[in-house]
Amino acid sequence: MSRQYYIAGNWKMHKTRAEAAALANELVEQLKGASHKYLVAPSFTLIETVAGIVKGTNIRLGAQNMAPEEQGAHTGEVSVLQLKDIGVETVILGHSERRHNYLEYDSLINKKVHLALKHGLEVILCVGELLEEREAGQAEKVCESQIVNGLEDVSAPELANVVIAYEPVWAIGTGKTATPEDADAIHAYIRKVIGRLYSSTAAENIIIQYGGSVKSDNVKALMAKENIDGALVGGASLKSETFVPIAKFS
Ligand code: 13P
């Protein structure tokens, strides 16, 4: 298997510039030479500060969202051109907090996916079911439709710049992690969907991260599963003491 582990920190709406700089400096220092692929995604106002610190290191720079258009009358939005201008390499799209709290829908997310890929950004496309959907036996169906719609008309070459993050909504920020077996089952299903939409090679190569209460004490068991290729970490990414042990799992 040629897939590389990819550990990403989604800082969500946390930190001032000084706090972000302190954390970024600690991560650069402590992840120097570490073996997996890494990303931090700070809030928009922090990106430029963090960019100056992670530039030229093994930590990629991400954003947590972006507008569906390049520029224009879009009050309150941030454009792909602006993100690229300050060094962003990756954008998280379709996070459950965007889907459920800010009512982002699949066709809007798909538009953002296309725009990001057109501009050469890596996309982390988040999918995941609500608790009631899981309890109703709908987890696979929900993830499948978020993937089919989110990737509509994305070409096979473009898919090489897409990472999927499976984040069951009920596991985000709750301290409840999916068991490694349950997570792996959905990851395997997602891989099957990618195989059907693209090819078996695409299915084999795509990185699928797990997100939802990943901590230093559960990361190893999750990553040991065949179809889990990394983590998208929220709460535990906010301190180097909690993120570095996750990032350096072996
Ligand atoms: P927690 O790690 O805080 O559960 O958040 C996961 C997440 O939403 C990452 O995008």
Side-chain angles (χ1 to χ4, degrees), residues 8-12 92 95-97 126 165 167 171-176 210-215 231-237:
N10 174 6
W11 294 359
K12 304 193 179 182
I92 298 171
H95 192 280
S96 74
E97 287 146 23
C126 302
E167 301 204 301
I172 295 178
T174 57
K176 262 194 233 164
Y210 168 79
S213 300
V214 175
K215 304 275 184 298
L232 183 53
V233 187
S237 73

Side-chain angles (χ1 to χ4, degrees), residues 157-212:
E158 285 176 322
L159 188 75
N161 234 355
V162 175
V163 170
I164 307 280
Y166 169 57
E167 301 204 301
V169 181
W170 48 270
I172 295 178
T174 57
K176 262 194 233 164
T177 326
T179 64
E181 291 68 29
D182 285 347
D184 191 55
I186 299 285
H187 283 229
Y189 187 76
I190 291 172
R191 222 176 274 292
K192 208 167 89 186
V193 171
I194 295 293
R196 194 187 75 217
L197 295 175
Y198 293 90
S199 65
S200 54
T201 312
E204 175 65 21
N205 290 338
I206 196 156
I207 303 284
I208 309 176
Q209 297 173 324
Y210 168 79

Side-chain angles (χ1 to χ4, degrees), residues 93-94 99 104-113 125 150:
L93 294 175
R99 290 178 189 267
E104 289 201 9
Y105 44 93
D106 282 323
S107 62
L108 175 72
I109 295 162
N110 178 250
K111 208 166 168 189
K112 296 182 182 197
V113 168
L125 175 64

Side-chain angles (χ1 to χ4, degrees), residues 5 35-36 219-220 223 245-250:
Y5 285 113
S35 53
H36 310 310
V219 66
K220 214 171 155 173
M223 297 307 126
I246 295 173
K248 283 188 162 172
F249 87 91
S250 60

